[in-house]
Amino acid sequence: MAIMSFIFAFFFFSSLQPILSLYEDQVGLMDWHQQYIGKVKQAVFHTHKTGRKRVVASTEQNIIATLDLRSGEIFWRHVLGPNDVVDGIDIALGKYVITLSSGGSILRAWNLPDGQMVWESSLHGPKHSKSLLLTTNLIIEKDNSLIVFSNGRLNAVSCIDGEVLWKKDFEEESLEVQQVIQPPGSDFIYVVGFAASSQFETYKINAKNGELLKHESTAFSGRFSGEVSLVSSETVAALDSTGSILLTISFHNGKISSQQTPVSNLLEDSPGLAVIIHSSVTGIFAIKTDAATIFIRVIGEGKLEVVEKTNHETVVSDALSISEGQQAFALVQHAGSNIHLTVKPAHDWDSNLLKESIKMDQQRGFVHKVFINNYIRTDRSHGFRALIVMEDHSLLLLQQGAIVWSREDGLASIIDVTTSELPVEKAGVSVAKVELNLFEWLKGHVLKLKGTLMLATPEDIAAIQYMRLKSSEKSKMTRDHNGFRKLLIALTRAGKLFALHTGDGRIVWSHLLQSLHKSESCRQPIGLNLHQWQVPHHHALDENPSVLVVGRCGPSSDALGVLSLVDSYTGKEFSSLRLVHSVAQVIPLPYTDSTEQRLHLLIDADKHAHLYPKTPEAIDIFQSEFSNVYWYSVDDDNGIIKGYALKTKCSGNVADEFCFDSRELWSIVLPSESEKIITTATRKLNEAVHTQAKLIADQDVMYKYISSNLLFVATVAPKASGEIGSVTPEESWLVVYLIDTVTGRVLHRMTHHGSQGPVQAVLSENWVVYHYFNLRAHRYEMSVIEIYDQSRADNKDVWKLVVGNHNLTSPVSSYSRAEVITKSQSYFFTHSLKAIAVTLTVKGITSKQLLIGTIGDQVLALDKRFLDPRRSVNPTQAEREEGIIPLTDSLPIIPQSYITHSLRVEGLQSIITVAAKLESTTLVFAHGLDLFFTHYAPSRTYDSLTEDFSYALLLITIVALVAAIFVTWILSQRKELQDRWR
Amino acid sequence: MEKGKGIMGSGRRWAVDFSDNSTAPSSRDIPDPPGFTRASVDQDDSTVSRQKKDAESNWKAQKAWEVAQAPFKNLLMMGFMMWMAGNTVHLFSIGITFSALWQPISALQGVGKVFEPYKDNKVDLLGPKLLFIALNLGGLALGVWKLNTLGLLPTHASDWVSSLPPAQEVEYSGGGIPL
């Protein structure tokens, strides 16, 4: 009977369909979502009206956002496309946010309180030019108007509906308009620019109708360099192209008069090349040289006077008019770990309206931008608040000498992510502050029990929900049994490294990398990627894990590389290296030394391989595997894939035993007139595969071709590499290759005629799934290729397998030329993709699901069973039993399988999957502008109790059962006794 | 098995003792069946007892054979049930198969017990026992066969390679599009 009931239970549970969605009250238990806006380019305050004070910001990631000035929270946010660069923002009429974007061709107005778009107008013009946005109080035909200069045309646009009221073209070929100025209180506009880099031109234009009132020009002997700085409404300051002569040009009433002052006259020491800083403070402008920032005042007719010379990194804000005719501006200077914020009136350099010193985290770097805003204190004096943008792209609000709030907006531009384990829980490690005492634990469980028995009041339910969301268990700083708690280490474009806790997404530490800091020897450092350098588990548990950050000085591929090693527990950069060679590729090798440091091979632009770490032990390990290490490079510009083996020590002049020459082994040259490489995909290095056999219907077996040296390459016709729809189906094709990267053997090649990129691909185990556009069907398609090893297929003798007399597990070489067969199938798919990934579990037993980053910035889980090339329209009974789904022409999108549920990961870039220690569970981290993290169990959590399992109920049930047994035992004893007495 | 026990085991409900040679019908509550005369049994004692013993051992031998053949009916029954259950793995077929396996095994364990009541010096129980065992083994074989048709026996290559880890690779290659 016990067997029967067990079997019954087994079949009952196994017949349940996996439910992949979650309940409303489970949102936020395992997942977290963070929203960012990126590095702020321009900010406009809106504090005049009563109500919520806010700041409108445009960022380098093309976002328009309004933030709450009290807390820094986002009120609303719009992500413009990657090509829709914001040129300028402003607030008009106190209720519209005006944005000029896409090189000045799109002007939009957004409703300030809720972010809805009010109007949009497109502005076109005769030629490409600088885009300038100017809001005025001008009233033209009863409408408040905006003046926009873009694409060589001056437009006056109505604020109310975006209608163009008048336009004026500036078609002169060489004219470069620099400024559009409206002197206060006047009804004309100056358009100031250079023609042919040596002519200074002013146009005076009637603001009411766009009529040209006056045009003046004057020639200058030298050439102008780009920027001009507005000194007053009728005076500008400019530098010549040598950066040594300052010009002040005034054009009062259309008469141009200019003054030339050599920079060396103002400064004693020769400053070198100077650049003018864009600012709008009346009477003062600033130039920046290599060593210093110099503030110069214009006195009277073109006379210049140096007011201050600062040697620190100094940032100046735009002018802010605080009262009638009075302007103020802010200066931010660094002094040690403090920053000094000074607000000065424009007319008087020596007096300060405000001087504050604020302690600033060193890890934020220098101040890059400052925006100020004023408010009236209770004693009618002026108070100032400043919004500063730091080197790490973070945004801070300073007020009254303190940081009111800060936003880590550097996380909006993550380059690469890796993970690290947390410290092991030891007796010495104090985690007491997050531990609960027994009473609280019991109280929590009683509450939970009440919830289960439907006895809870609404307050109790709220308390339960709060308890579940704020569970201290998930945010502890120690390792857990299930491997859910980890550190996500993210490298941002600003060169800062962040460690995020997977439990609640908080920043555990952040570190601005010194090696990626601008310096004399490394002018344009950029971070490239992150690798796990040391992952101690067995021998070196007392060591901290560390990550390797690879960077390079400059954008070109032959720029010198930089490496730094960062402790992942503390964030300390314990080693930083300036390489003497460039970094073209970083290859983590599958070997570790005795301290569990992973060996890495860095390939430079000259195809020399450099081994790291540079220790004798590493070289010993490497020497023993020397002949088995290969590398390949994919040259996507020329369509050449080349494979290399390592030869001998470098033949260069310096004896470096860690440097090796490469020898070309093979090359695949794709015909450049018909194929262009657009995508490659490889298997993840850390992917575990449980078995090499795939069982198919009727007890048959197929052997997977599992090789980590498999490369997927997708090429398209060069004509078809543009946008979808730019070519006809006849002249467009997509060719996919599966290549063994050791021998260069093409294992499989397939052509999709009439198809086109972009291609997104993921390779895992023995299959590859890729997504492309089918021009003939006008739909997106996804294809799967599975590759099987036919040369193992005759291992079918049961007795040989029983006694282990087979060679299925003996090491294989790529040179053994396995005979492979492939199976493939294509399906239609509704969405276009931004990213694709596959779930990853620790042993690879759990079935796989594809994680698809849709165009709507959500992450959709799709069972791999839908992409099985063995699907057919009418599967046999045996195939059905095996779990083969009848073939349909398109892949289903199940709304419940969006793992981001109702959230969006704006600007989704990539999806990273990490295996937890629990076999059923994958940790999924999706990043773009936003961050999203969740746990995902592709086949449900079959190996653990669910989070809402009621231990209290179980305990009570057990106690009740024991009591019942005891009572019935006593009763039966008594009855037996009575029976005997009878 | 249940049947065999029901007939011959300790819990029998009625029995006619054919060796009863008492002449007084009043010694029993039940009247003699019509046509039965006790007077006809008037042989001498020794013949009577020998005959009685012969009859008993004959009867025992006969019954032993009957018991030995009992699993045959079971076998047919089982076969029918299995045919009904079909070849897919589900609750019913699993239940049938396990009971088909369990019954012969438990019967085989209790061979001695089953033939206990027929133990006699004169009765040769070897034949019935062998038949009984053979039939039960047949039942067991049927169960195993069913198990195999359900695919629950590791008789295929797939059962032995399903957990083989992938072969280690000799070479290692890395790289890609230059950074």
Side-chain angles (χ1 to χ4, degrees):
Chain A
M1 201 52 218
I3 290 171
M4 292 294 270
S5 61
F6 167 74
I7 289 164
F8 179 78
F10 175 73
F11 280 94
F12 177 72
F13 286 115
S14 61
S15 63
L16 286 176
Q17 279 295 313
I19 301 156
L20 300 164
S21 52
L22 33 76
Y23 292 102
E24 192 183 357
D25 64 342
Q26 288 174 320
V27 168
L29 289 182
M30 302 292 190
D31 57 317
W32 47 261
H33 181 233
Q34 294 173 357
Q35 293 187 314
Y36 294 101
I37 58 171
K39 188 181 183 185
V40 171
K41 207 155 64 169
Q42 199 182 347
V44 182
F45 290 87
H46 178 76
T47 52
H48 304 300
K49 293 266 170 65
T50 50
R52 307 299 290 273
K53 294 190 176 8
R54 52 188 90 205
V55 57
V56 182
S58 74
T59 69
E60 286 178 359
Q61 275 77 19
N62 304 339
I63 292 181
I64 311 289
T66 58
L67 307 175
D68 186 344
L69 211 48
R70 291 222 178 90
S71 61
E73 276 167 33
I74 298 172
F75 276 132
W76 55 261
R77 180 178 65 154
H78 288 293
V79 183
L80 308 182
N83 302 321
D84 203 1
V85 179
V86 184
D87 301 305
I89 58 165
D90 212 333
I91 294 177
L93 300 176
K95 60 179 180 181
Y96 293 154
V97 177
I98 308 290
T99 63
L100 182 68
S101 61
S102 276
S105 57
I106 301 174
L107 188 68
R108 294 188 181 99
W110 315 84
N111 193 14
L112 184 60
D114 58 7
Q116 282 187 13
M117 188 154 78
V118 184
W119 50 258
E120 180 184 88
S121 55
S122 59
L123 307 172
H124 296 289
K127 60 169 190 177
H128 189 72
S129 78
K130 201 168 165 175
S131 316
L132 301 160
L133 174 69
L134 184 73
T135 48
T136 60
N137 312 322
L138 275 176
I139 296 178
I140 306 171
E141 295 164 19
K142 293 179 196 162
D143 284 354
N144 279 50
S145 65
L146 300 163
I147 304 296
V148 178
F149 183 84
S150 68
N151 294 325
R153 177 179 287 176
L154 189 69
N155 302 277
V157 183
S158 160
C159 280
I160 308 296
D161 54 6
E163 198 192 330
V164 177
L165 300 170
W166 54 258
K167 53 195 172 202
K168 166 97 184 92
D169 284 356
F170 292 85
E171 282 179 34
E172 200 184 322
E173 199 47 50
S174 60
L175 181 72
E176 285 175 64
V177 172
Q178 294 294 335
Q179 291 279 355
V180 177
I181 310 145
Q182 192 217 1
S186 63
D187 56 356
F188 54 88
I189 299 163
Y190 285 118
V191 175
V192 178
F194 306 134
S197 295
S198 60
Q199 289 254 49
F200 184 78
E201 310 254 343
T202 59
Y203 296 84
K204 191 175 173 186
I205 286 166
N206 186 341
K208 298 280 184 196
N209 54 16
E211 195 189 323
L212 179 65
L213 297 174
K214 202 177 262 180
H215 173 215
E216 289 278 327
S217 81
T218 179
F220 168 61
S221 53
R223 294 169 72 82
F224 291 103
S225 74
E227 282 271 316
V228 295
S229 183
L230 206 59
V231 179
S232 74
S233 60
E234 291 180 336
T235 314
V236 293
L239 266 170
D240 79 332
S241 56
T242 59
S244 56
I245 297 170
L246 271 170
L247 286 136
T248 47
I249 307 158
S250 85
F251 41 94
H252 183 68
N253 262 340
K255 273 201 205 80
I256 301 175
S257 58
S258 70
Q259 285 278 328
Q260 296 190 14
T261 318
V263 177
S264 50
N265 283 13
L266 298 167
L267 303 164
E268 294 79 39
D269 51 339
S270 172
L273 200 73
V275 214
I276 211 153
I277 299 177
H278 181 81
S279 80
S280 64
V281 185
T282 309
I284 292 172
F285 67 95
I287 58 170
K288 193 175 177 174
T289 63
D290 286 341
T293 308
I294 300 132
F295 292 90
I296 298 162
R297 179 158 47 190
V298 184
I299 340 162
E301 277 295 299
K303 274 186 106 183
L304 302 180
E305 182 194 33
V306 174
V307 283
E308 190 160 326
K309 193 176 153 191
T310 54
N311 292 325
H312 311 292
E313 284 272 334
T314 306
V315 182
V316 60
S317 78
D318 277 354
L320 171 82
S321 65
I322 47 173
S323 56
E324 268 311 303
Q326 207 185 1
Q327 279 191 329
F329 67 97
L331 273 179
V332 180
Q333 285 162 301
H334 283 268
S337 64
N338 288 340
I339 61 164
H340 296 303
L341 172 71
T342 329
V343 179
K344 289 173 188 289
H347 56 86
D348 184 7
W349 182 271
D350 298 320
S351 68
N352 291 332
L353 291 170
L354 179 81
K355 195 168 171 64
E356 283 169 350
S357 177
I358 295 144
K359 189 156 173 56
M360 186 58 68
D361 184 2
Q362 290 282 292
Q363 300 304 334
R364 293 195 189 276
F366 295 122
V367 175
H368 272 192
K369 279 197 169 84
V370 57
F371 305 95
I372 56 163
N373 176 238
N374 68 321
Y375 57 92
I376 310 290
R377 293 211 189 95
T378 43
D379 61 347
R380 302 230 156 242
S381 65
H382 287 288
F384 293 92
R385 50 172 86 90
L387 193 69
I388 56 172
V389 181
M390 304 297 291
E391 193 182 356
D392 68 342
H393 300 185
S394 61
L395 188 67
L396 298 100
L397 184 76
L398 310 180
Q399 192 171 341
Q400 293 174 344
I403 299 169
V404 183
W405 50 257
S406 63
R407 289 179 58 87
E408 293 290 349
D409 277 306
L411 285 169
S413 51
I414 290 177
I415 297 173
D416 200 5
V417 180
T418 187
T419 54
S420 163
E421 294 289 345
L422 282 161
V424 185
E425 195 161 346
K426 279 184 226 149
V429 181
S430 169
V431 285
K433 65 176 178 203
V434 290
E435 298 280 21
L436 290 172
N437 60 31
L438 185 69
F439 176 69
E440 274 176 59
W441 182 85
L442 211 66
K443 210 169 82 180
H445 275 291
V446 167
L447 263 178
K448 251 188 195 176
L449 180 68
K450 272 169 97 177
T452 318
L453 300 175
M454 315 239 174
L455 297 172
T457 60
E459 294 90 72
D460 286 347
I461 291 172
I464 294 168
Q465 188 64 12
Y466 179 79
M467 214 162 57
R468 290 167 74 188
L469 292 179
K470 295 281 165 236
S471 160
S472 60
E473 201 48 34
K474 69 178 185 185
S475 53
K476 266 191 199 173
M477 277 302 294
T478 52
R479 237 173 258 194
D480 62 340
H481 287 299
N482 294 335
F484 292 162
R485 293 199 295 259
K486 282 184 200 294
L487 286 177
L488 288 167
I489 298 180
L491 176 67
T492 65
R493 194 160 298 147
K496 198 173 186 182
L497 210 56
F498 286 92
L500 305 173
H501 195 288
T502 57
D504 52 4
R506 70 175 190 276
I507 295 166
V508 177
W509 52 258
S510 60
H511 184 80
L512 195 66
L513 294 168
Q514 281 310 307
S515 60
L516 295 180
H517 209 71
K518 218 175 272 184
S519 66
E520 279 300 309
S521 58
C522 193
R523 291 201 171 265
Q524 260 185 303
I526 45 170
L528 294 174
N529 50 22
L530 276 177
H531 294 273
Q532 289 185 338
W533 178 255
Q534 196 177 16
V535 186
H537 27 247
H538 298 307
H539 333 297
L541 259 182
D542 48 334
E543 305 240 3
N544 288 1
S546 51
V547 291
L548 170 73
V549 184
V550 184
R552 149 197 307 165
C553 297
S556 71
S557 65
D558 51 357
L560 297 185
V562 283
L563 297 184
S564 64
L565 295 172
V566 180
D567 186 322
S568 24
Y569 289 171
T570 60
K572 293 273 173 311
E573 193 174 1
F574 62 83
S575 169
S576 152
L577 273 173
R578 291 221 179 279
L579 306 184
V580 292
H581 56 82
S582 57
V583 181
Q585 301 200 25
V586 184
I587 302 170
L589 298 173
Y591 319 114
T592 53
D593 68 6
S594 60
T595 56
E596 305 260 347
Q597 292 189 77
R598 186 163 292 276
L599 270 59
H600 284 74
L601 215 52
L602 267 62
I603 312 289
D604 66 15
D606 304 325
K607 304 197 179 345
H608 293 302
H610 302 265
L611 180 71
Y612 289 87
K614 292 198 170 189
T615 56
E617 192 195 352
I619 201 104
D620 283 347
I621 297 167
F622 188 65
Q623 286 292 3
S624 65
E625 299 288 345
F626 184 76
S627 59
N628 289 330
V629 175
Y630 299 81
W631 67 276
Y632 66 94
S633 75
V634 180
D635 183 354
D636 51 350
D637 295 330
N638 302 319
I640 302 171
I641 307 165
K642 281 183 177 171
Y644 301 88
L646 298 178
K647 217 161 58 183
T648 46
K649 298 267 152 59
C650 274
S651 51
N653 39 11
V654 263
D656 181 1
E657 58 169 335
F658 298 100
C659 173
F660 302 91
D661 272 340
S662 298
R663 171 167 57 98
E664 189 181 319
L665 287 181
W666 52 266
S667 64
I668 296 171
V669 183
L670 302 170
S672 59
E673 65 275 10
S674 65
E675 290 184 38
K676 182 180 189 312
I677 297 174
I678 52 166
T679 308
T680 62
T682 52
R683 260 182 68 193
K684 267 194 181 177
L685 194 64
N686 56 351
E687 184 188 60
V689 181
H690 175 63
T691 171
Q692 55 174 297
K694 181 181 168 108
L695 309 186
I696 55 175
D698 301 325
Q699 313 287 314
D700 215 345
V701 61
M702 289 177 88
Y703 292 92
K704 298 173 187 171
Y705 181 82
I706 292 167
S707 166
S708 55
N709 304 327
L710 205 57
L711 173 72
F712 169 84
V713 178
T715 66
V716 290
K719 268 188 177 176
S721 55
E723 296 219 334
I724 289 167
S726 56
V727 281
T728 59
E730 285 70 36
E731 52 190 6
S732 168
W733 51 84
L734 170 74
V735 190
V736 295
Y737 295 86
L738 283 171
I739 297 166
D740 183 294
T741 54
V742 172
T743 59
R745 178 184 171 204
V746 178
L747 296 163
H748 184 62
R749 178 182 190 274
M750 186 160 64
T751 311
H752 296 271
H753 289 286
S755 294
Q756 162 169 38
V759 173
Q760 297 280 352
V762 61
L763 204 156
S764 168
E765 287 194 13
N766 67 324
W767 51 262
V768 57
V769 169
Y770 53 100
H771 177 272
Y772 54 91
F773 189 77
N774 185 334
L775 286 165
R776 284 187 212 280
H778 305 288
R779 289 167 90 172
Y780 285 101
E781 269 188 3
M782 272 172 111
S783 284
V784 57
I785 303 174
E786 291 191 354
I787 176 161
Y788 292 98
D789 190 345
Q790 199 59 21
S791 50
R792 292 172 168 241
D794 39 334
N795 273 305
K796 281 190 175 142
D797 191 338
V798 180
W799 289 112
K800 273 191 178 171
L801 292 168
V802 173
V803 295
N805 186 13
H806 58 80
N807 60 354
L808 290 175
T809 47
S810 52
V812 287
S813 163
S814 288
Y815 288 104
S816 61
R817 287 190 70 86
E819 192 189 328
V820 296
I821 53 161
T822 53
K823 287 168 179 284
S824 64
Q825 216 166 53
S826 300
Y827 320 86
F828 291 126
F829 190 67
T830 318
H831 287 300
S832 60
L833 300 195
K834 282 192 167 177
I836 187 167
V838 66
T839 57
L840 189 72
T841 53
V842 67
K843 294 217 160 54
I845 300 169
T846 310
S847 64
K848 303 242 171 201
Q849 293 209 1
L850 294 165
L851 300 175
I852 291 166
T854 65
I855 195 75
D857 293 323
Q858 293 203 302
V859 180
L860 174 75
L862 181 68
D863 202 322
K864 168 68 178 62
R865 288 195 303 153
F866 287 112
L867 289 137
D868 185 339
R870 292 176 55 244
R871 281 175 75 183
S872 57
V873 182
N874 284 313
T876 61
Q877 187 60 35
E879 280 174 341
R880 270 177 208 274
E881 270 175 47
E882 188 200 328
I884 286 187
I885 302 162
L887 182 64
T888 48
D889 62 347
S890 59
L891 296 172
I893 291 171
I894 303 156
Q896 289 93 327
S897 55
Y898 280 102
I899 64 168
T900 44
H901 43 90
S902 62
L903 302 170
R904 292 179 66 185
V905 189
E906 289 285 2
L908 182 66
Q909 264 181 357
S910 84
I911 302 166
I912 287 137
T913 52
V914 185
K917 263 187 224 159
L918 204 63
E919 168 57 29
S920 67
T921 308
T922 306
L923 310 180
V924 181
F925 180 61
H927 68 86
L929 296 167
D930 295 354
L931 312 180
F932 178 80
F933 173 86
T934 191
H935 299 173
Y936 187 64
S939 313
R940 308 192 70 198
T941 47
Y942 54 81
D943 47 4
S944 71
L945 293 171
T946 54
E947 166 273 337
D948 50 354
F949 183 82
S950 176
Y951 289 93
L953 191 65
L954 178 74
L955 210 69
I956 288 174
T957 315
I958 291 170
V959 169
L961 278 175
V962 168
I965 288 168
F966 202 68
V967 168
T968 48
W969 181 68
I970 291 171
L971 287 177
S972 74
Q973 288 269 308
R974 199 174 290 166
K975 193 156 181 273
E976 206 172 313
L977 193 67
Q978 279 172 356
D979 281 351
R980 296 229 170 140
W981 276 109
R982 196 173 285 163
Chain B
M1 268 322 296
E2 302 290 324
K3 265 182 203 162
K5 261 183 195 166
I7 299 161
M8 290 301 155
S10 56
R12 64 185 177 191
R13 274 159 288 184
W14 60 267
V16 176
D17 193 356
F18 293 103
S19 56
D20 183 9
N21 54 357
S22 68
T23 47
S26 58
S27 68
R28 302 189 63 88
D29 331 356
I30 312 154
D32 287 338
F36 175 76
T37 49
R38 281 169 197 283
S40 61
V41 198
D42 49 357
Q43 282 105 342
D44 60 347
D45 265 11
S46 61
T47 345
V48 168
S49 65
R50 205 186 65 230
Q51 268 186 349
K52 198 173 77 183
K53 270 193 182 155
D54 275 354
E56 191 182 322
S57 59
N58 273 344
W59 172 82
K60 273 190 178 167
Q62 199 187 338
K63 278 294 156 191
W65 278 110
E66 255 174 51
V67 167
Q69 280 163 16
F72 183 68
K73 273 182 251 162
N74 251 352
L75 212 65
L76 290 180
M77 186 69 180
M78 226 51 231
F80 178 69
M81 295 272 274
M82 280 174 183
W83 177 70
M84 290 289 284
N87 279 346
T88 47
V89 180
H90 54 79
L91 188 57
F92 188 59
S93 62
I94 289 276
I96 296 282
T97 313
F98 274 89
S99 76
L101 286 171
W102 184 247
Q103 272 190 19
I105 290 169
S106 63
L108 287 175
Q109 279 175 338
V111 173
K113 239 184 211 168
V114 171
F115 290 94
E116 189 91 34
Y118 320 111
K119 221 175 194 176
D120 202 323
N121 291 337
K122 287 188 181 170
V123 181
D124 183 20
L125 280 178
L126 188 68
K129 268 190 184 169
L130 281 178
L131 181 67
F132 185 80
I133 289 169
L135 283 174
N136 273 314
L137 283 178
L140 197 67
L142 197 67
V144 170
W145 171 78
K146 183 68 191 171
L147 210 59
N148 191 28
T149 55
L150 287 180
L152 299 177
L153 282 188
T155 52
H156 291 90
S158 59
D159 302 311
W160 296 94
V161 295
S162 63
S163 59
L164 277 185
Q168 220 185 340
E169 280 178 282
V170 178
E171 293 95 356
Y172 177 79
S173 170
I177 297 176
L179 296 168

